[in-house]
Amino acid sequence: QVQLAESGGGLVQPGGSLRLSCASSGSIFSISAMGWYRQAPGQERELVARITRGGITNYADSVKGRSEISRDNAKNTVYLQMNSLKPEDTAVYYCNVKFVSGYEEWGRGTQVTVSS
């Protein structure tokens, strides 16, 4: 079974930074995209950032310019660097991996709290 290991969440002050990591046990050869979603209380889950196997990135408008998604193919790992964090960034962040077959896997979620 494919497993996703998430790390990097925590409590930060507004204006601070975090780097989320997600390592997949799946084969890098079968992965089509990796990314991060988030869900705040009472809100729908939304895409934060995604990177395809071709290196194409997508960002939510709310994080453009202050977030960067990257990957390490050797480690089957995707990273989300978030800077200039705002209280509205507070949410549970979920790693998502999509495979060429159409199958996708979700992480358990890691809490990011931005508060003074």
Side-chain angles (χ1 to χ4, degrees):
Q1 296 182 358
V2 176
Q3 302 288 333
L4 302 181
E6 302 163 318
S7 63
L11 174 65
V12 296
Q13 294 184 339
S17 299
L18 280 176
R19 189 176 78 157
L20 303 180
S21 300
C22 176
S24 173
S25 64
S27 173
I28 188 65
F29 304 106
S30 64
I31 295 174
S32 63
M34 302 182 74
W36 287 92
Y37 291 70
R38 68 186 180 188
Q39 186 168 22
Q43 300 186 16
E44 297 182 354
R45 188 172 300 185
E46 64 174 352
L47 174 68
V48 180
R50 179 180 63 199
I51 183 168
T52 71
R53 64 178 178 178
I56 303 299
T57 58
N58 294 284
Y59 296 92
D61 289 341
S62 60
V63 304
K64 286 182 179 178
R66 59 188 183 93
S67 297
E68 182 178 1
I69 190 166
S70 61
R71 69 182 190 275
D72 185 335
N73 290 339
K75 298 181 179 180
N76 287 1
T77 300
V78 64
Y79 305 95
L80 179 63
Q81 178 70 39
M82 299 187 294
N83 305 311
S84 301
L85 286 164
K86 306 173 181 179
E88 50 263 44
D89 292 319
T90 297
V92 177
Y93 285 68
Y94 298 90
C95 181
N96 174 264
V97 178
K98 291 182 172 62
F99 298 88
V100 295
S101 65
Y103 175 80
E104 66 178 9
E105 186 71 36
W106 291 92
R108 298 172 183 173
T110 183
Q111 178 71 47
V112 172
T113 301
V114 184
S115 176
S116 60

